[in-house]
Amino acid sequence: MAGQTTPGTSLQKQQEEMTEGWDVLWDPPLEPKYECPICLMGLREPVQTNCGHRFCRYCILKSIRDAGARCPVDNSPLTEEQIFPDNFAKREILALRVKCSNKGCKEKMELIGLDNHLSTCNFAFVRCPLECGDTFWRKDIPEHLDNDCPRRLVKCEHCFKEIPFDQQESHMEECPNVVRPCEFCQQQLTNEQMARHVENECPRALVLCIFSAVGCNVEKMERRNLSEHLQEFTQVHLRLLLNALQTLKDSRFTHRPGNHSDPLSLPARMQDVTYEHRHNLPLTHEQQQMLVLPPGHMAVATPVSPLPIGSELPQGGDGIAKLSHSLQQLVMPNRPFQPRLGETTWSSAEDYLEPVTCASPYPGVMTSPFTAAAAAGGAHAYAHLEGSSGYRTGDPSSVGTSSRDMDSGNPRSEDSSMADARTLRTKVHNQEAKIVEQQHYIRELELKLGSLQQKYFELDERTKERMCNGTFIWRIKEYSKLRQQAVKGEATVRHSSGFYTSYYGYKLCVRVNLNGVDSAHGTHISLFIHFMMGENDDILEWPFQGKITLSIVDQNSNPAQQPKHITETLVAKPSYAAFQRPTTLRNHKGFGYMEFALLRSLENGQYIKNDTLIIKCMVQPQ
């Protein structure tokens, strides 16, 4: 039982803090001879003056120092040297009978034993030993620790570790054995497996493009769409790589060439790129060799020996220039080569613009002539293919027509082709920029929509709380599961959400013990009402006065039978702590019925349907 906090003051504490007389409940009443004439309370540390009067030691000394060296009773001269301890009166006073000052306790004892009694009195108000912040009668502390304290220890059913009750939800997020669905693909995994799954395996997990390090600013995408993105933006990625190479070329003048410890040196940067690509792309061994091509070699030519990681490139700008030149050779080969399976090949040097496409080595990615060429050659290849009039784009006669134009002596000039390529490349750049801008705009709209939805849900909940007009319906779903938890002692108490009696009315909630409490434990369902701190408490009248009706709804759907709701109506009692203005989020003291309804009648009747119990509460303020 909780109530107002007025703990009894111990004898030792009174001696330390209240140095005037004894302010206790005397039984029988204190005789006048034991009263101090100054404080009018029982003599504490009694002393006697040479004029025969008795005072508390503290009282008479304070009187002499403040009012002058005279006796307060007969005004005769009196100094501190004329005051003597009265041990006889002290023994008599300590042997007098007193009553315990704690409300509800009827114990009586001698004054000398009051301190020992107050330290063990069942009706003394004490704070929860687990420091949950609540204060209870000492006799109610064991029940609080067993059933209600939010900081009591319970055992996790997954890892069997003991955790505080109010930390169960946060523990479930961290418990390594809890199985939950992946937020992306909904696959059921334990928390221990989840991080590895999301980081490396989940096909729907959002990942950045592997070229984001060199400037690809496309937003995160699902992992299963990464290969499609790599195929679609191959040209952009290679242009970004060339720009990065150019940046390295420009920066080498401010850094010592070939210094591997320098994070900006070309060998070190190329080592990082090789490592990153080996871990993120399904590259073959020969494809990995392509990341560090020796000068003058083709990308799809015969296998070449790999350049050692971190090896020196030629001094000056020749190393970067030759590496850029090798990228250009991917599309404009200067010697015949032997094709491999999965690559675009040409029958001869004359008709290399007439591609023959083999199966792609990358699962799920269809290799088109344009994609194969662009993937091999980057920006230069893109300009070359876009600007070449003989490139086939679906018209079988296009190459032939180009050949006839060349044979007839009317080839397009190289300058014109390059200008067309530059124009087309500029248009592609502009379109790509617009697409990225639109994607950012769509993302911003999605975020705004999510924010508006959240605000709508919050407003809807507040509206439901305010507009119920004192009639609250609480549907307790998964009743069987919650009932078993109550039986096991895992969660014996359930509280409903708060509701208002009117828009500017009182705020309350309903409390239910599904396995009963105290004398009703295991036999009845217990139902109580608790007042909560509301927004209108300062304009309402306290304590609450009115009627409260609690009901368990009969869910019998047969119209021929009269519903038999289990209903009890209680009248507020203003003297009870449960109806006082709350000083905490929810009033610790509730009011209701420990034996509201028999559990067997609930479970055998029509009160539980679809594993749901419905509780109705009607509040009618006076």
Side-chain angles (χ1 to χ4, degrees):
M1 176 178 177
Q4 297 177 353
T5 305
T6 55
T9 307
S10 67
L11 186 63
Q12 181 181 1
K13 187 174 181 181
Q14 286 192 18
Q15 290 175 342
E16 294 175 355
E17 298 180 1
M18 294 183 59
T19 51
E20 294 181 337
W22 295 108
D23 186 15
V24 295
L25 300 177
W26 304 96
D27 187 31
L30 185 66
E31 297 180 31
K33 66 179 181 177
Y34 296 125
E35 285 186 0
C36 173
I38 297 176
C39 65
L40 302 180
M41 292 185 287
L43 291 168
R44 183 196 298 269
E45 296 296 326
V47 295
Q48 195 173 99
T49 65
N50 59 355
C51 57
H53 299 110
R54 288 174 175 167
F55 302 93
C56 298
R57 178 177 178 81
Y58 170 81
C59 295
I60 188 59
L61 290 177
K62 187 175 185 299
S63 175
I64 291 174
R65 294 167 186 171
D66 295 345
R70 290 187 174 276
C71 175
V73 177
D74 57 13
N75 204 30
S76 62
L78 180 65
T79 63
E80 295 185 12
E81 289 76 15
Q82 295 174 323
I83 297 174
F84 308 96
D86 192 341
N87 291 328
F88 177 76
K90 181 178 179 179
R91 285 195 301 271
E92 287 185 333
I93 293 173
L94 292 178
L96 295 176
R97 302 284 293 178
V98 296
K99 295 190 296 185
C100 177
S101 59
N102 291 320
K103 186 177 180 181
C105 181
K106 299 180 180 179
E107 292 289 330
K108 298 179 181 179
M109 72 292 297
E110 292 182 350
L111 177 60
I112 195 172
L114 180 61
D115 186 48
N116 291 334
H117 170 76
L118 292 177
S119 64
T120 59
C121 179
N122 286 331
F123 292 89
F125 285 99
V126 294
R127 298 183 68 83
C128 172
L130 297 182
E131 298 182 354
C132 70
D134 289 343
T135 303
F136 300 89
W137 280 348
R138 181 177 280 111
K139 70 182 184 67
D140 293 332
I141 286 292
E143 178 189 349
H144 169 70
L145 295 177
D146 292 339
N147 302 321
D148 300 331
C149 183
R151 306 196 68 175
R152 68 185 185 274
L153 294 180
V154 295
K155 186 173 290 187
C156 174
E157 61 183 1
H158 301 283
C159 66
F160 305 105
K161 179 182 177 182
E162 288 191 339
I163 55 175
F165 178 80
D166 58 354
Q167 297 181 14
Q168 287 186 103
E169 293 185 5
S170 60
H171 173 74
M172 290 301 174
E173 297 293 329
E174 303 171 355
C175 180
N177 297 336
V178 170
V179 177
R180 58 186 177 93
C182 171
E183 61 177 316
F184 300 106
C185 66
Q186 303 304 313
Q187 181 179 351
Q188 297 290 331
L189 297 166
T190 63
N191 285 335
E192 190 175 15
Q193 300 168 332
M194 189 64 67
R196 181 173 63 253
H197 167 75
V198 172
E199 183 177 357
N200 301 320
E201 304 167 2
C202 180
R204 291 181 176 272
L206 299 179
V207 296
L208 284 171
C209 172
I210 58 175
F211 289 94
S212 60
V214 293
C216 180
N217 58 358
V218 176
E219 291 188 351
K220 288 186 176 182
M221 68 200 81
E222 293 185 357
R223 181 176 279 111
R224 61 180 180 174
N225 296 333
L226 181 59
S227 59
E228 180 182 350
H229 167 75
L230 294 176
Q231 174 190 5
E232 182 179 355
F233 289 85
T234 303
Q235 321 153 33
V236 180
H237 294 157
L238 289 177
R239 283 201 303 275
L240 293 171
L241 285 175
L242 286 175
N243 291 338
L245 289 174
Q246 184 62 40
T247 302
L248 290 175
K249 178 180 177 181
D250 297 339
S251 65
R252 78 168 301 279
F253 294 103
T254 57
H255 297 276
R256 201 171 78 184
N259 184 2
H260 298 179
S261 62
D262 185 351
L264 294 179
S265 67
L266 181 59
R269 291 291 297 271
M270 293 304 295
Q271 181 178 2
D272 292 342
V273 171
T274 303
Y275 177 83
E276 177 181 343
H277 282 64
R278 284 180 179 174
H279 284 72
N280 291 278
L281 283 177
L283 301 180
T284 65
H285 177 69
E286 294 180 357
Q287 290 165 341
Q288 292 175 1
Q289 294 174 357
M290 290 168 58
L291 293 172
V292 282
L293 292 175
H297 283 68
M298 297 178 299
V300 292
T302 56
V304 295
S305 59
L307 185 66
I309 297 300
S311 61
E312 296 289 346
L313 290 177
Q315 298 296 320
D318 295 340
I320 298 176
K322 290 180 179 180
L323 185 59
S324 300
H325 176 73
S326 67
L327 290 176
Q328 298 174 5
Q329 295 301 316
L330 298 177
V331 179
M332 300 181 63
N334 53 15
R335 59 177 176 174
F337 63 89
Q338 296 297 326
R340 296 196 304 267
L341 179 62
E343 295 177 347
T344 303
T345 63
W346 293 269
S347 56
S348 66
E350 294 178 354
D351 58 353
Y352 80 97
L353 292 177
E354 187 173 349
V356 179
T357 304
C358 301
S360 170
Y362 298 97
V365 179
M366 299 301 295
T367 305
S368 65
F370 176 77
T371 303
H380 182 86
Y382 176 62
H384 176 75
L385 291 177
E386 295 287 350
S388 299
S389 60
Y391 177 69
R392 274 170 52 171
T393 58
D395 184 0
S397 62
S398 60
V399 173
T401 302
S402 175
S403 300
R404 286 192 297 271
D405 291 343
M406 297 288 289
D407 294 340
S408 62
N410 297 320
R412 297 184 62 186
S413 66
E414 182 178 354
D415 292 341
S416 177
S417 298
M418 293 302 293
D420 292 344
R422 283 193 297 270
T423 302
L424 183 57
R425 182 167 52 188
T426 302
K427 292 181 179 179
V428 170
H429 286 175
N430 294 337
Q431 291 300 322
E432 289 174 351
K434 290 181 180 180
I435 291 173
V436 172
E437 183 180 353
Q438 291 296 324
Q439 289 175 340
H440 283 292
Y441 181 67
I442 291 173
R443 179 59 179 165
E444 290 178 0
L445 291 179
E446 290 176 347
L447 293 175
K448 290 181 180 179
L449 178 60
S451 176
L452 290 175
Q453 289 177 339
Q454 181 65 28
K455 290 180 180 179
Y456 169 77
F457 292 143
E458 293 176 357
L459 182 60
D460 184 54
E461 288 297 323
R462 289 175 60 86
T463 302
K464 289 179 180 179
E465 289 181 1
R466 294 280 189 156
M467 304 307 293
C468 68
N469 291 326
T471 301
F472 177 69
I473 304 296
W474 184 16
R475 299 178 185 274
I476 303 178
K477 299 181 179 180
E478 297 184 340
Y479 170 82
S480 302
K481 176 182 176 181
L482 300 180
R483 171 90 168 85
Q484 288 301 318
Q485 291 179 353
V487 172
K488 296 177 182 179
E490 297 175 355
T492 59
V493 179
R494 300 280 172 182
H495 291 89
S496 72
S497 59
F499 64 95
Y500 284 83
T501 57
S502 64
Y503 192 83
Y504 295 106
Y506 299 88
K507 186 176 183 181
L508 307 90
C509 72
V510 180
R511 165 191 161 193
V512 62
N513 293 71
L514 294 178
N515 197 41
V517 65
D518 291 343
S519 61
H521 183 76
T523 60
H524 292 74
I525 187 172
S526 302
L527 211 55
F528 303 90
I529 195 78
H530 285 258
F531 280 82
M532 303 178 66
M533 292 181 69
E535 298 180 4
N536 312 309
D537 289 353
D538 54 345
I539 63 173
L540 296 173
E541 294 184 2
W542 297 96
F544 171 84
Q545 299 185 47
K547 295 191 302 182
I548 301 175
T549 302
L550 297 171
S551 303
I552 295 180
V553 177
D554 183 0
Q555 301 184 58
N556 183 13
S557 58
N558 187 353
Q561 296 182 2
Q562 186 71 18
K564 299 178 181 179
H565 307 309
I566 302 176
T567 302
E568 295 288 349
T569 299
L570 58 91
V571 179
K573 298 182 179 181
S575 60
Y576 283 20
F579 300 101
Q580 307 298 321
R581 178 175 177 175
T583 57
T584 57
L585 182 63
R586 181 177 60 240
N587 204 335
H588 299 304
K589 184 64 177 176
F591 193 82
Y593 302 90
M594 288 189 293
E595 299 179 357
F596 189 84
L598 282 169
L599 288 169
R600 63 173 179 268
S601 63
L602 288 180
E603 297 171 357
N604 295 334
Q606 298 292 329
Y607 298 99
I608 300 172
K609 189 174 183 180
N610 297 326
D611 205 23
T612 300
L613 178 70
I614 300 178
I615 296 176
K616 181 178 180 181
C617 176
M618 296 179 62
V619 184
Q620 298 173 303
Q622 183 174 330

